[in-house]
Amino acid sequence: MKRLAVYCGSSMGTDPAFADTARALGEEMVRRGIDLVYGGGKLGLMGVVADAVLAGGGKVYGVIPQALTDLEVAHQGVTELHTVSSMHERKAKMTELTDAFVALPGGIGTFDELFEAWTWNALGYHAKPFALLNVNGFWDGMIGFLDQVTANGFMSAGRRAQLLIGESIGESIDLLDSAMTASERKMVW
């Protein structure tokens, strides 16, 4: 994997482990020679992971809507900053630029990005894998809900299996690397 898209909060959250993990993820990405693709912001976990990659000498590709640039939340120190007109364009550009996706703790924007990437994968628009980095059990409730959705017949076991769960940074990256070699561009019902 050459580029990893990281979805995460534009705030820090309440658990210091969230920022510590974002920083450590950035550092591990640099160690492994993986560039960062992310939402282009300087705030919250987004800024932490970007700053960690930059501090280690890695490349950072930010994608941000003009409206957020106008609010002065864009990170001006990234390798490349792509300014787009909408959130839809942001997600499409991030998908174009990356090889895989990982979600750290975050809110509605993180959920939106993750679920759209998953939907596009399920429909065969791309074959890029995605994972949750389950920092201190942050994603446990959603994982349980997705298992319930599957048990109730609204998601196939094959589609549910597409969402990888890593309990550590190394495990998450390794799962994504393995999934990249096994992925096919096709619909998964």
Side-chain angles (χ1 to χ4, degrees):
M1 165 181 6
K2 297 198 182 286
R3 291 185 182 173
L4 177 61
V6 176
Y7 299 143
C8 59
S10 59
S11 68
M12 299 297 269
T14 57
D15 186 339
F18 300 154
D20 292 343
T21 301
R23 187 175 302 103
L25 174 60
E27 292 167 354
E28 183 63 18
M29 289 172 65
V30 171
R31 272 193 288 282
R32 293 187 186 214
I34 301 169
D35 297 335
L36 171 66
V37 175
Y38 85 119
K42 65 181 179 182
L43 305 175
L45 299 182
M46 292 173 65
V48 171
V49 71
D51 288 342
V53 172
L54 292 167
K59 293 181 181 174
V60 175
Y61 301 90
V63 184
I64 192 164
Q66 183 64 52
L68 293 177
T69 301
D70 294 345
L71 293 173
E72 299 182 359
V73 299
H75 195 308
Q76 298 300 321
V78 299
T79 308
E80 287 181 20
L81 186 63
H82 300 267
T83 303
V84 296
S85 64
S86 69
M87 289 299 288
H88 179 75
E89 284 184 45
R90 175 196 218 177
K91 292 178 280 187
K93 185 67 173 178
M94 288 177 70
T95 300
E96 174 190 323
L97 292 173
T98 196
D99 298 316
F101 309 87
V102 67
L104 294 173
I108 193 72
T110 302
F111 308 153
D112 173 59
E113 290 171 327
L114 172 68
F115 280 104
E116 187 152 343
W118 192 357
T119 300
W120 289 1
N121 181 290
L123 294 173
Y125 296 162
H126 70 79
K128 298 172 183 184
F130 39 92
L132 300 175
L133 179 45
N134 197 19
V135 181
N136 285 355
F138 178 83
W139 295 109
D140 286 349
M142 190 173 82
I143 294 165
F145 172 71
L146 294 171
D147 290 342
Q148 178 183 344
V149 170
T150 303
N152 282 284
F154 290 101
M155 184 184 319
S156 71
R159 183 174 293 161
R160 171 61 188 86
Q162 288 180 313
L163 181 63
L164 306 170
I165 313 295
E167 299 297 329
S168 71
I169 292 166
E171 180 185 16
S172 297
I173 293 173
D174 291 344
L175 286 168
L176 290 167
D177 274 334
S178 294
M180 282 180 57
T181 60
S183 63
E184 298 177 50
R185 190 171 183 158
K186 64 177 185 173
M187 287 190 187
V188 177
W189 295 103

